[in-house]
Structure formats: structure tokens, C-alpha cells
Amino acid sequence: MSNEELAYDFSPMIKVYKDGRVERLNDTDRVPPSTDPKTGVQSKDVVISQEPAISVRLYIPKSTTATTTTSAPQTKLPLLIYFHGGGFCIRSSSSRRHHNYLNALVSEANVVAVSVDYRLVPEHPLPVAYDDSWAALNWVASHSDGNGSEDWLNRFADFQRVFLAGNSAGANITHNMAVKLGCERLVGVKWIGIVLVHPYFWGTEPVGAELTTPAAAREYMAGVWRFACPSTSGSDDPLINPAKDPKLGQLGCEKVLVCVAEKDVLKDRGWHYSETLKKSGWNGAVEVIEAAGEGHSFHLEDPTCDNAVAMEKKIVAFLN
């Protein structure tokens, strides 16, 4: 057998060969934590679990530095927990695009952020990413009394104003964490809202314009999910199709912002999610904004374009 034989080809994200080799094709650019010269946002990496190995990247805005060297009382800031995208199989909390995006968002919104570095598929099939993300939420919650292991969270984070956000697969994780939070409360934390940017949801039955989506594109979306979650029942698994989740109405937050993009194959899933959520018995508020003429994750590709700036303004308002 040639060692070039492919077992899976999900270009432009990842290729897996039959000999077990994994080739990540996209966004392998990693950057260290730093003090961002443009925004003054500080970041650092923290290991939250040795076994399994889970880390997070923390961000604090420039407004906190005035009191980091003094004992003056600090005004507590909203806390954002962020899950990066990448089909569950690529990228990390140190990916350049996600790092730059969070520097800008933390600065604009004046929030503290925790970016979760969950373990990736295929070395760690789902539900590992969900388990790691839940561990990160528990670690964050352990600081709610001001006596956690991480000083930045103890000093600067307001645990009565906590938000979750993510893009693509990270938005899928965000939603699933919010469902879990609705069923298993974490003491000392008030979960205000979630932001789902271009969420990776799917389903067997087409919704909206998916009726005209090319078969190859539909199969790619379904195939990535089967690859990421080998134990799945398929595209109507509640983890990928929230409309099939009897627990949807228990979503553990007060408000939801869904961001979709006109030219994204996942767009109609975002709209469908909001409609289903409204009918689920959940008593919060959900809003959808759509970026005209844009594709999937456009805001990471071109963060200064008009639509990306407009979306950022909307998210900043949501967090404040």
C-alpha cells in the first residue's frame, strides 16, 4: 500500500492518510501570547489540566493595567469564554487569526477573555473537544469566589456577566456548552449570553436554500461531522442538529446573538436555529444578523472590512 493513500480528504482543512499520518493544511500559523502593540491588550497561556492536557489563553484589556501595579479597587469587567473554529480538527487558541481577532474584540468591548485550547480531531475524536471545553468552564467557575488559581480572573472578571462565543465549530461548542449549563448549573456564575458566529450545524433534511446546495457541499458538511465524531448517529445527532435536541429549551443563558453570512453554505442553519429556539420553550431573546455578500469566517480573513467592523460593533454592544 502506498503511504500516499488517503483515508480522509477534507481539503482545504485536513488530510488523513491510511498509514495514520495527519496533514493539517490550513491556518497552522501560531503566535505566542504578548502585549499587543496596537491595542495594549495583554495575553498569557495557562495550563488548566495536566492530565488531560488542556490550556487556555487569557486576555485582559489595557484598562486593567492602571491597577495591576497598585492595590486600588478594580472595576470588574464582563468575562468572555471563546471557542475557536476549524472543523474540530485544525487551529488553536494560539492561531494568529484568532489571537488577532481576540486582541481587537477584548480592546473594543473592554472585557476579559478566556480562549480555550481544546484537543483536536482525529487524534482526539469528539466528544473530547466538548469534554475539554466543559473542563475549561468548570476551571473558570472555580474563580467566582475570587480565590481561584489565576490572578487575572480573580481580580478583573465579573462572574455575574459571563458570555460564551465561538465561530463555526467553536459556535457549535458554544451552543452545546450552553445546553449543558442549562442542565448542570455551575455555582457562582451568571451566564448572560452566547454569540454564535457562522455556527456549524447540520441536518439530514435540507432547510432554506440548502435545497439547491450542490450535493458535494452537503456531503462535505455531513462528512466532516462523521469524521469528527465517529460515534455519532449522523447529521441528526442533537450535537450537530439542535432542532433534534429535546433539551434545546433549557439553554442556559438569557440572550443569543447569531451571526450569519449570505454566501456561507451554513447560513440557513443559523436562521433555522433561531426559529427553532423561539419555538422550544426557551424564554430568552435571540437575534440574527446577516452580512451581505460575505462567506464563511470572512471576519477572520479580512477583519477591517466594513461587514467585519459592523459585526464586531454588534458583538461589542451584546457583551456590554
Side-chain angles (χ1 to χ4, degrees), residues 213-269:
T213 299
R218 287 190 54 77
E219 180 45 41
Y220 183 93
M221 287 300 162
V224 167
W225 174 248
R226 289 195 305 270
F227 167 66
C229 191
S231 61
T232 188
S233 57
S235 293
D236 287 334
D237 186 326
L239 292 167
I240 190 74
N241 187 353
K244 300 292 185 184
D245 190 351
K247 299 194 292 285
L248 181 61
Q250 297 177 51
L251 200 70
C253 60
E254 298 169 7
K255 58 181 186 171
V256 175
L257 176 64
V258 185
C259 304
V260 298
E262 183 188 7
K263 294 182 176 175
D264 183 5
V265 73
L266 295 172
K267 177 191 83 169
D268 289 286
R269 288 288 152 183

Side-chain angles (χ1 to χ4, degrees), residues 109-144:
N110 199 35
V111 298
V112 176
V114 177
S115 180
V116 180
D117 201 30
Y118 55 85
R119 288 171 291 166
L120 299 177
V121 169
E123 296 88 347
H124 305 283
L126 291 178
V128 168
Y130 298 127
D131 295 341
D132 290 358
S133 299
W134 184 246
L137 293 189
N138 278 271
W139 177 80
V140 167
S142 74
H143 295 77
S144 63

Side-chain angles (χ1 to χ4, degrees), residues 43-283:
S43 54
K44 66 176 171 181
D45 291 337
V46 178
V47 174
I48 67 167
S49 165
Q50 298 280 1
E51 193 55 53
I54 312 168
S55 68
V56 296
R57 181 165 289 187
L58 300 183
Y59 296 81
I60 52 173
K62 193 175 181 180
S63 67
T64 60
T65 53
T67 55
T68 46
T69 52
T70 73
S71 57
Q74 172 69 34
T75 303
K76 302 275 181 146
L77 302 175
L79 175 59
L80 173 67
I81 303 163
Y82 182 81
F83 304 97
H84 69 80
F88 302 104
C89 62
I90 59 171
R91 309 201 176 126
S92 79
S93 59
S94 58
S95 294
R96 182 182 295 277
R97 283 176 180 168
H98 288 108
H99 179 70
N100 291 346
Y101 175 72
L102 281 172
N103 276 332
L105 186 60
V106 164
S107 174
E108 282 296 313
N110 199 35
V111 298
V112 176
V114 177
S115 180
V116 180
D117 201 30
Y118 55 85
R119 288 171 291 166
L120 299 177
V121 169
E123 296 88 347
H124 305 283
L126 291 178
V128 168
Y130 298 127
D131 295 341
D132 290 358
S133 299
W134 184 246
L137 293 189
N138 278 271
W139 177 80
V140 167
S142 74
H143 295 77
S144 63
D145 61 358
N147 290 309
S149 58
E150 179 43 57
D151 186 50
W152 281 6
L153 292 182
N154 291 333
R155 293 181 66 177
F156 304 129
D158 181 353
F159 287 89
Q160 297 305 299
R161 289 186 292 164
V162 185
F163 297 82
L164 306 181
N167 78 293
S168 197
N172 174 295
I173 293 173
T174 298
H175 158 76
N176 282 299
M177 291 303 101
V179 170
K180 199 165 167 68
L181 285 167
C183 303
E184 306 176 36
R185 303 276 173 195
L186 293 183
V187 178
V189 183
K190 189 168 186 185
W191 307 92
I192 303 295
I194 62 173
V195 181
L196 308 180
V197 179
H198 310 158
Y200 176 36
F201 298 137
W202 204 241
T204 306
E205 293 298 315
V207 298
E210 287 173 9
L211 286 162
T212 57
T213 299
R218 287 190 54 77
E219 180 45 41
Y220 183 93
M221 287 300 162
V224 167
W225 174 248
R226 289 195 305 270
F227 167 66
C229 191
S231 61
T232 188
S233 57
S235 293
D236 287 334
D237 186 326
L239 292 167
I240 190 74
N241 187 353
K244 300 292 185 184
D245 190 351
K247 299 194 292 285
L248 181 61
Q250 297 177 51
L251 200 70
C253 60
E254 298 169 7
K255 58 181 186 171
V256 175
L257 176 64
V258 185
C259 304
V260 298
E262 183 188 7
K263 294 182 176 175
D264 183 5
V265 73
L266 295 172
K267 177 191 83 169
D268 289 286
R269 288 288 152 183
W271 282 105
H272 184 60
Y273 174 84
S274 79
E275 295 309 315
T276 312
L277 191 54
K278 285 172 188 171
K279 297 173 193 159
S280 69
W282 178 70
N283 56 12

